[in-house]
Amino acid sequence: MKYFAKIEYVGTEFSGFQIQPDRRTVQGELLSALEQAFGAPCRIMGCSRTDRGVHAKEFCLTIDTDGASIPPKKLPVAVARYLPPDLSLYYASACREDFHARHDVVSKEYVYRIWNAPVIAPFEYHRAWIIYPTISDEAIARMQAAAPHFVGKKDFASCMAQGSEVTSTVRTVQSLTVERNGREILVRIRADGFLYNMVRIIVGTLIEVAFGRMDADEIPDILEAKSRSLAGMTAPPDGLYLNRVDYEKDPDPSIN
Amino acid sequence: MKYFAKIEYVGTEFSGFQIQPDRRTVQGELLSALEQAFGAPCRIMGCSRTDRGVHAKEFCLTIDTDGASIPPKKLPVAVARYLPPDLSLYYASACREDFHARHDVVSKEYVYRIWNAPVIAPFEYHRAWIIYPTISDEAIARMQAAAPHFVGKKDFASCMAQGSEVTSTVRTVQSLTVERNGREILVRIRADGFLYNMVRIIVGTLIEVAFGRMDADEIPDILEAKSRSLAGMTAPPDGLYLNRVDYEKDPDPSIN
């Protein structure tokens, strides 16, 4: 049987999503829990990879198993007893056979949390990028002025970690917003796909603009140059959350 | 010189506030950081003790040191480099010599966070009491009906962990409220002082009332009996936050 499922996890103690030998990964922990719940081998296909330390509030995947079937609505509770406390499977449905968790993604939304603290922020450790120098309202306005330069169908080669191999570096960013709520600054970005480290490099570039080390007007040239070295630093993984994944059609065959 | 200071900490990795040999405690980590910052011995007096796993958003204390003085306003940044990431000293001022961080407390407020989740709640692990059975609106109403029975000057012997030694078990609870925000249920309690485990036993009792295992109307008899065995379970430390400490006069001699 094939299932569609949604999971959330705190990324801090995982070496990313993708299964690797001798590393604690989300896929590895989930696979082990599913195989215990089903008492049979399972296969998992995720909507994307997330890096070491990156969090997910909504990560979508499919599960294939030849094992004794568990009704989809009961899967979250059935698997919960085998999962560690930093990983939850909170939704499951039946899934059409021709649905692909990665290829069928229409858009994904990431949220990047920045915490502007005067000293150590204990409750935000590993949950945000903690930045100590004051980010003024003017700095926020500069980030907001820079954001639209990243929106649209563009070549994002300048915002991709070096050494990545992809057939195309063109992606369509549908929206990019910056908002402040007290000490928290939220960067929200939605696109049809993301290159390796793309969100973290865009956020790092926005912070360079905030502190006046880059100018918003330089961004079109930076993208045009297709050179990683011109964009800003790579923001740390701690603030990055996969927040939402959209598909054209619901994977559940009973829903149209 | 004597300082007044406020700290916050995530309690999960600490064996409580009070210094103990061979244990990681808040007081131990703070003392070590202060002595490195001052380059001289320091003495710390806290506003209370908190247990293993209990958090603080505002914990007040005084620091005495014979060492080279650091201007109070500069103390948070001076000590930050020696503190671990789960402990922050975020405010400091000068302090009058006759001020006592514990004896001079007029009231303290604790917040207890309950998270009502259908399955594992990764982002709330160790940050709340995660309760899986549904807490209905009717259950919340029962908790709210029970709360006023704990308010006033009363003998709280029934809400004190066994084995505690105190001269009096009478305390004045100034307010106790229960509110729900989505999956989060907040219990907020303010009193002139608290017995050992008092907040956690009151919250445990409110949860017994929520699930219909105790009745709100029984609470006056439970308190009257002065017997720990009649009150509800002790809620886990993970949801408990010291939230606010009030003094009659500001400890800073320049403020009246």
Side-chain angles (χ1 to χ4, degrees), chain A residues 8-11 55-57 76-77 79-81 83-90 118-125 127 241, chain B residues 8-11 55-57 76-77 79-81 83-90 118-125 127 241:
Chain A
E8 67 172 345
Y9 50 89
V10 177
H55 315 291
K57 299 290 280 182
V77 170
V79 75
R81 58 183 293 211
L83 285 172
D86 49 356
L87 168 60
S88 173
L89 186 154
Y90 62 91
V119 283
I120 300 163
F123 291 94
E124 300 303 327
Y125 183 55
R127 302 275 174 110
Y241 295 72
Chain B
E8 68 172 343
Y9 51 87
V10 177
H55 314 291
K57 301 289 281 182
V77 170
V79 75
R81 61 183 288 212
L83 285 172
D86 49 356
L87 169 59
S88 172
L89 186 154
Y90 62 91
V119 284
I120 301 162
F123 291 95
E124 299 303 328
Y125 184 54
R127 303 275 174 110
Y241 295 73

Side-chain angles (χ1 to χ4, degrees), chain A residues 86-140:
Chain A
D86 49 356
L87 168 60
S88 173
L89 186 154
Y90 62 91
Y91 174 85
S93 73
C95 187
R96 50 180 110 239
E97 283 304 321
D98 64 352
F99 178 84
H100 195 285
R102 183 154 51 87
H103 298 161
D104 292 353
V105 169
V106 173
S107 70
K108 285 188 286 191
E109 181 187 78
Y110 280 92
V111 169
Y112 196 98
R113 295 185 72 228
I114 296 165
W115 193 263
N116 194 204
V119 283
I120 300 163
F123 291 94
E124 300 303 327
Y125 183 55
H126 285 318
R127 302 275 174 110
W129 184 9
I130 303 174
I131 293 181
Y132 299 108
T134 301
I135 299 175
S136 66
D137 287 344
E138 291 70 30
I140 297 287

Side-chain angles (χ1 to χ4, degrees), chain A:
Chain A
M1 181 166 172
K2 185 168 181 169
Y3 297 83
F4 171 76
K6 296 182 182 183
I7 62 174
E8 67 172 345
Y9 50 89
V10 177
T12 312
E13 303 290 334
F14 290 108
S15 295
F17 176 79
Q18 199 180 27
I19 201 161
Q20 300 171 62
D22 305 323
R23 300 258 180 182
R24 185 174 188 263
T25 63
V26 174
Q27 191 178 9
E29 292 286 330
L30 181 61
L31 190 62
S32 159
L34 287 166
E35 295 191 334
Q36 286 178 80
F38 282 107
C42 296
R43 291 174 303 287
I44 293 170
M45 174 58 66
C47 63
S48 74
R49 294 171 186 188
T50 61
D51 277 346
R52 177 186 198 83
V54 173
H55 315 291
K57 299 290 280 182
E58 177 178 297
F59 183 104
C60 296
L61 50 86
T62 59
I63 302 155
D64 280 280
T65 178
D66 307 322
S69 102
I70 296 170
K73 280 200 157 50
K74 295 194 171 171
L75 188 59
V77 170
V79 75
R81 58 183 293 211
Y82 303 110
L83 285 172
D86 49 356
L87 168 60
S88 173
L89 186 154
Y90 62 91
Y91 174 85
S93 73
C95 187
R96 50 180 110 239
E97 283 304 321
D98 64 352
F99 178 84
H100 195 285
R102 183 154 51 87
H103 298 161
D104 292 353
V105 169
V106 173
S107 70
K108 285 188 286 191
E109 181 187 78
Y110 280 92
V111 169
Y112 196 98
R113 295 185 72 228
I114 296 165
W115 193 263
N116 194 204
V119 283
I120 300 163
F123 291 94
E124 300 303 327
Y125 183 55
H126 285 318
R127 302 275 174 110
W129 184 9
I130 303 174
I131 293 181
Y132 299 108
T134 301
I135 299 175
S136 66
D137 287 344
E138 291 70 30
I140 297 287
R142 282 194 291 274
M143 293 171 76
Q144 288 167 335
H149 290 299
F150 292 103
V151 177
K153 185 174 182 177
K154 292 173 196 282
D155 190 323
F156 286 97
S158 294
C159 301
M160 180 176 72
Q162 281 171 313
S164 318
E165 281 184 37
V166 285
T167 48
S168 165
T169 49
V170 174
R171 295 292 183 273
T172 301
V173 171
Q174 291 139 0
S175 63
L176 174 57
T177 60
V178 178
E179 58 174 309
R180 156 181 257 157
N181 300 305
R183 287 183 177 172
E184 183 184 57
I185 296 157
L186 290 182
V187 179
R188 198 177 286 268
I189 183 165
R190 206 154 71 93
D192 62 349
F194 293 91
L195 302 171
Y196 189 56
N197 279 359
M198 178 171 151
V199 182
R200 291 165 57 187
I201 294 168
I202 289 175
V203 170
T205 304
L206 289 174
I207 284 296
E208 308 273 17
V209 170
F211 288 121
R213 296 191 292 255
M214 284 186 179
D215 199 83
D217 299 340
E218 294 174 52
I219 291 168
D221 291 342
I222 291 170
L223 294 177
E224 192 64 38
K226 302 184 182 81
S227 163
R228 168 68 190 93
S229 61
L230 295 183
M233 67 185 121
T234 303
D238 313 70
L240 186 58
Y241 295 72
L242 177 56
N243 199 51
R244 187 179 163 152
V245 183
D246 283 304
Y247 294 100
E248 198 175 328
K249 288 199 297 186
D250 196 290
D252 185 346
S254 72
I255 297 175
N256 274 287

